[in-house]
Amino acid sequence: MENKSLRGLVVCRNFLNDSVIKALLAVQEQGDNPFGKHEAAAVLLERAEQLGLSGNILRQYFLYLLGEGNTVAAEAIERSGKAGTGMTKALLLDMTLLWPYLQQSASDFLDVDFLDNYEPAVPKVYGYVQTLETALMTASTPEEATKALLHHYAVYGRGKLAQFMAFRIGDDNKLFGDDGSLIGIENFPHLEWDDLIGYAAQKEKLLANTTAFLANRAANNVLLTGSRGTGKSTAVKALVCRYHEQGLRLIQVQRGQLHNLQQLMERLGDIGSKKFILFLDDLSFDENEKEYKYLKSAIDGGVTPQPKNVLIYATSNRRHLLKETWRDRNDELDEVYRDDSTNESISLSDRFGLILHYSAPTQDEYLQII
């Protein structure tokens, strides 16, 4: 059966700007020109080597494009978390056009067998592409494939948000710029929540707060304080591993990047399909540092309210975050100054709605953990 032209793509219209798709269009429109097919094979081969694609690389390339999600449907779901009936019908039209490329071998289109089971010099595994492929394997019709793709976008997202559980901000501090300043953390450790030993009360409160956040109920920013090595940071990371497939993502923010915190929160607020924990690890400020004011403003004191899909989880060895000096406690100081200094030192930590203290373990607790 003759395949319909890819020029009919609507939701995936941006695919037409891709070099491989352009070459496939030329094959479709030039008929049985063997040189055109070989040219398309060469373009596909080059991209397969660049991306490290293996197997039926024409099929894998379409899966890669769909996983990257440079489509109207993926963008709409990213903003709202769901697709309307109109978008579903439009995507079905596209999936009908793409269906043959997801079902057949590359040689069926380009008359070269080596593309059917290709092995690149440096194979690369894309977890989000594998997840999408698994979902589409259960589909037997374009209608079922459309539902599977929309579900994938809603649960995992697209591009970086689908590929990574955790991110850091690039050194240039530019947010969501053309250079991709949100950098996915490769090999993020997979931590099992049930493997965390001790501190049951703290874990229960932290888990309850996070599940309420994911369920769109009221939730608090959290400050985890206490002795080093008690598992504060590990608990936060384990939560992301536990709820990754429910749309939870972690973004690590360094102290020197706090001046961009408000801007970051505003941009994340536009991604309605995901929940974000901004992770401030080992947080504290010395007396001459002013970065804490950005954090205070972002949590509760700014003109722009904190987005409902963003929480701040911070860990610190200090209960009050701001270093208090003996000068601040000097009885000879003016009482007004001393009160102001004390209020300032505790006001930041008080902005966190939930404060969990991790005291140093007893010897028996330590041995149990070990």
Side-chain angles (χ1 to χ4, degrees), residues 28-241:
Q28 284 185 332
E29 294 168 357
Q30 293 174 8
D32 295 329
N33 179 0
F35 298 105
K37 292 182 178 181
H38 289 171
E39 182 178 351
V43 176
L44 177 60
L45 182 67
E46 181 179 4
R47 289 294 287 146
E49 284 293 336
Q50 291 171 350
L51 297 171
L53 301 180
S54 305
N56 178 0
I57 57 175
L58 183 57
R59 181 174 189 267
Q60 291 299 314
Y61 191 70
F62 273 100
L63 289 170
Y64 172 80
L65 291 179
L66 291 170
E68 284 293 294
N70 187 18
T71 70
V72 179
E75 292 173 2
I77 292 176
E78 186 172 85
R79 290 192 301 270
S80 63
K82 60 182 180 180
T85 56
M87 183 66 70
T88 303
K89 291 179 181 178
L91 183 59
L92 174 57
L93 174 65
D94 283 14
M95 289 304 295
T96 302
L97 299 178
L98 298 175
W99 187 247
Y101 298 95
L102 298 174
Q103 296 295 306
Q104 299 173 227
S105 300
S107 58
D108 293 336
F109 302 95
L110 302 178
D111 292 341
V112 280
D113 293 338
F114 67 85
L115 298 176
D116 292 344
N117 191 21
Y118 189 76
E119 189 66 26
V122 183
K124 186 172 182 180
V125 176
Y126 297 87
Y128 63 111
V129 174
Q130 286 186 328
T131 302
L132 177 57
E133 182 177 19
T134 301
L136 292 178
M137 283 177 61
T138 64
S140 57
T141 63
E143 289 82 1
E144 294 178 357
T146 299
K147 293 179 182 178
L149 181 59
L150 291 175
H151 178 74
H152 176 85
Y153 287 147
V155 173
Y156 296 98
R158 60 176 180 146
K160 288 182 180 180
L161 288 178
Q163 186 175 0
F164 300 104
M165 288 189 289
F167 302 83
R168 63 180 179 86
I169 301 175
D171 295 335
D172 56 9
N173 287 335
K174 295 179 181 178
L175 303 176
F176 293 90
D178 294 336
D179 58 352
S181 57
L182 269 188
I183 300 172
I185 298 177
E186 298 276 1
N187 302 316
F188 184 73
H190 188 86
L191 304 168
E192 293 290 343
W193 179 259
D194 293 335
D195 288 344
L196 303 182
I197 306 300
Y199 303 99
Q202 293 88 332
K203 285 172 53 183
E204 182 179 356
K205 292 178 181 178
L206 184 62
L207 186 65
N209 190 72
T210 306
T211 54
F213 177 50
L214 293 171
N216 296 317
R217 301 196 304 269
N220 292 298
N221 297 312
V222 183
L223 175 62
L224 299 86
T225 71
S227 303
R228 59 186 177 89
T230 51
K232 302 183 296 294
S233 300
T234 303
V236 177
K237 295 174 183 177
L239 284 172
V240 178
C241 297

Side-chain angles (χ1 to χ4, degrees), residues 244-257:
H244 168 247
E245 293 189 359
Q246 294 186 30
L248 186 63
R249 300 291 184 272
L250 181 143
I251 300 177
Q252 183 165 348
V253 181
Q254 302 294 337
R255 186 172 56 178
Q257 298 169 329

